[in-house]
Amino acid sequence: MEALPTRARTYVTGVAAAGLLCLLPALPLPSVPLTRTLPSVSGPGASWGAVASFAVLYAGCERLARSRHLGAPSPVGTFHPVLLAAAFLLPPSAAALVVLPGALLAPVEQRPLLVRRIWRAGRLTLAVWAASRAHLAAGGREAVADGDVPAALGAAGASVLAFCLVLTLLDRGILAPTGGVPFRRGSRAPRPEGRRTTRRTTWWGLFLRSLAPVTVHGLAGLMMALLWRSPYGPGAALLVLLPMCVSWWAFAQYHRERAAHQATIRALVQAVDIKDGYTRGHSERVGQASTMIARELGMDDERTEVLRFAGILHDVGKLGVPTRLLTKDGPLTPEERRVIELHPEYGHEMVRGISFLGEARAAVLHHHERLDGSGYPYGLAGGQIPESARVVAVADAFDAMTSNRSYSRARPVPVALEELQRCAGDHFDPRMVEALVRAIGRTGWHPAVTAEDAGRFPGPPGPPGPPVAEPVGEPAAARAADADADAGPPGVRR
């Protein structure tokens, strides 16, 4: 635990100690022989066989969920139905005991391994104990034993709320001592990432996001408990897990497909950065700015993700432009500039067969169009330009103005925003411009990849050239966006 901040070590230790206290009533004392029945402070006792059965079942399900064939990204608590079924059938301390084998023995992919296992065991122990106490207080034990489904549903609802609330508060609590990221090495807090970060890290936001899936798991757990106590016995209860396994397998396939999408995009962006190193990091920053605009406009998460892809891939067509033009040490001829201006079409050809990109493909093709029809490649105007392309156009111009380029030094963010507003209506969509202004005004501009970081790569030495006078009638924002198509070695104006 030495790699964690002191406050995080203290917090995890406290959670583990509290979990251990919840287990004490179920643990046999050295002077007391181990009997077939566990003592219970409230309600009837539970057999060690039932506890062992649930513990083995949960551990096996956790191992299966994280196996190479079925596994999907899920840090803790994959099979909540088993834990909640134990909470509905066993005394609180016995139900909490079910957690330990699966939580402590299940694989952990990230370091620190021991701390993650202790944290996983501690938080789930407390959550299951609280769920069982709530279920017992609501009369759920008798309802399950009598097969009274309506009463059992009410008690299960109280149990699910307690389970969710404890997990939420514990998860929210770990964010503070670890700088906003659970088990982040070191004590340096990450930079803010905008409105979504705030929503996701408030306890209420965490609670609402976890309530729906845990409720579904609670219903499955209740079905297991009712069947367990029915004349059909525990064997029938296991049948409930079959559809859960199928749904988890489908969930795992979705995450594998998503990971493959991300890897495809990373490979394309890396290829662009290698070929045109002078704008390295630009794609990620345009993707980040596009995300900010999309969120400010109230777009759903799926569309926001597509627009992030659009921003990241907007210059992928540079792979089809001869490297000698991208790195030419001197001004471009009109013919050479026409070749470079084909990069949106090259990019569209490259990505049009990638179905998951959706409207991002249109953004790749049309992000150099202007509202007044003076852009390229097709001279579209106004509403003819796809909305995704209008978002990326603003993000592209903003990053071009706030980064050191061959044709100008980086402008301060407020100056760049004013320039975008000046060009709104002629070159850029006013809605997109105002959305970016509002988003940056509220959260600031904190690029994940800065221009300084991106500049750490081999290349011709020398600082960027001095600011160059803008052509008459050519606003800086519009010129910055277009100049991204042919940015070359520092100090050279094309």
Side-chain angles (χ1 to χ4, degrees):
M1 296 174 65
E2 56 275 8
L4 293 176
T6 302
R7 288 191 302 164
R9 295 200 302 269
T10 303
Y11 186 84
V12 172
T13 302
V15 170
L20 184 59
L21 290 176
C22 294
L23 296 174
L24 287 180
L27 299 178
L29 298 175
S31 59
V32 179
L34 182 64
T35 62
R36 293 174 60 86
T37 302
L38 284 163
S40 176
V41 177
S42 302
S47 69
W48 280 103
V51 175
S53 298
F54 276 112
V56 171
L57 182 60
Y58 175 65
C61 289
E62 284 293 287
R63 174 70 66 169
L64 180 64
R66 288 171 172 79
S67 70
R68 188 173 51 183
H69 304 290
L70 188 64
S74 178
V76 289
T78 302
F79 275 86
H80 286 156
V82 176
L83 297 181
L84 290 170
F88 299 154
L89 290 172
L90 303 176
S93 57
L97 197 61
V98 170
V99 170
L100 292 185
L104 293 176
L105 299 179
V108 176
E109 296 181 356
Q110 298 179 347
R111 297 178 181 276
L113 303 183
L114 178 61
V115 177
R116 287 183 179 275
R117 285 193 169 95
I118 293 174
W119 165 249
R120 180 168 59 192
R123 69 188 287 274
L124 284 176
T125 296
L126 291 174
V128 172
W129 182 88
S132 184
R133 292 293 299 183
H135 188 259
L136 193 62
R141 191 74 57 79
E142 294 78 10
V144 170
D146 297 338
D148 185 352
V149 176
L153 281 172
S159 182
V160 165
L161 287 175
F163 185 84
C164 245
L165 186 61
V166 171
L167 288 181
T168 298
L169 294 177
L170 291 175
D171 288 345
R172 182 65 184 90
I174 194 62
L175 295 178
T178 57
V181 179
F183 307 116
R184 181 183 180 90
R185 289 179 177 270
S187 58
R188 181 175 178 269
R191 295 169 174 170
E193 296 181 359
R195 184 165 59 183
R196 172 177 283 191
T197 301
T198 302
R199 286 179 176 174
R200 285 190 169 185
T201 54
T202 59
W203 78 269
W204 182 245
L206 291 170
F207 178 77
L208 291 179
R209 286 193 301 114
S210 61
L211 184 58
V214 173
T215 299
V216 174
H217 287 190
L219 292 174
L222 180 60
M223 291 176 62
M224 286 188 65
L226 291 170
L227 288 172
W228 193 288
R229 295 297 297 267
S230 73
Y232 302 103
L238 296 179
L239 296 178
V240 176
L241 293 179
L242 183 59
M244 295 298 298
C245 289
V246 173
S247 65
W248 188 254
W249 177 84
F251 184 68
Q253 302 315 303
Y254 165 77
H255 277 278
R256 283 201 182 99
E257 183 179 0
R258 183 180 176 84
H261 294 170
Q262 299 282 1
T264 300
I265 290 173
R266 281 196 303 270
L268 289 172
V269 172
Q270 288 171 358
V272 174
D273 285 346
I274 291 172
K275 184 163 187 175
D276 187 15
Y278 297 102
T279 56
R280 182 170 297 185
H282 170 67
S283 298
E284 288 83 354
R285 295 191 298 272
V286 173
Q288 185 175 344
S290 299
T291 299
M292 294 174 70
I293 295 172
R295 289 176 183 163
E296 189 64 33
L297 293 175
M299 297 181 183
D300 58 48
D301 288 348
E302 183 176 353
R303 195 175 183 202
T304 298
E305 183 78 349
V306 169
L307 286 174
R308 185 177 74 87
F309 291 158
I312 291 175
L313 293 174
H314 74 286
D315 274 342
V316 70
K318 287 182 178 178
L319 292 174
V321 176
T323 305
R324 62 180 179 80
L325 298 185
L326 295 175
T327 59
K328 182 179 178 182
D329 189 11
L332 293 174
T333 66
E335 179 61 30
E336 289 171 336
R337 182 169 180 83
R338 281 194 293 271
V339 171
I340 284 188
E341 287 181 354
L342 291 174
H343 81 275
E345 295 177 272
Y346 293 154
H348 183 256
E349 286 295 316
M350 292 176 186
V351 302
R352 69 175 181 174
I354 306 178
S355 59
F356 72 85
L357 290 178
E359 63 180 321
R361 294 170 292 185
V364 171
L365 179 61
H366 297 296
H367 69 278
H368 279 296
E369 305 282 5
R370 297 180 180 177
L371 250 60
D372 60 5
S374 62
Y376 62 89
Y378 300 133
L380 302 183
Q384 295 177 317
I385 305 173
E387 188 176 41
S388 58
R390 285 178 268 151
V391 169
V392 173
V394 172
D396 187 21
F398 172 74
D399 183 68
M401 285 190 291
T402 55
S403 304
N404 286 323
R405 297 301 171 91
S406 61
Y407 49 85
S408 68
R409 292 187 185 277
R411 295 169 181 246
V413 169
V415 174
L417 294 177
E418 289 177 6
E419 184 64 25
L420 286 173
Q421 289 175 313
R422 186 166 74 88
C423 296
D426 293 330
H427 297 91
F428 305 112
D429 188 325
R431 285 180 61 241
M432 312 309 172
V433 172
E434 290 306 315
L436 182 62
V437 171
R438 289 195 305 270
I440 292 179
R442 183 177 55 255
T443 65
W445 175 239
H446 305 284
V449 179
T450 65
E452 290 77 12
D453 293 336
R456 294 170 187 162
F457 60 91
V468 179
E470 298 167 9
V472 177
E474 184 78 2
R479 183 172 156 273
D482 287 344
D484 263 342
D486 58 307
V492 175
R493 166 85 186 284
R494 296 191 177 172

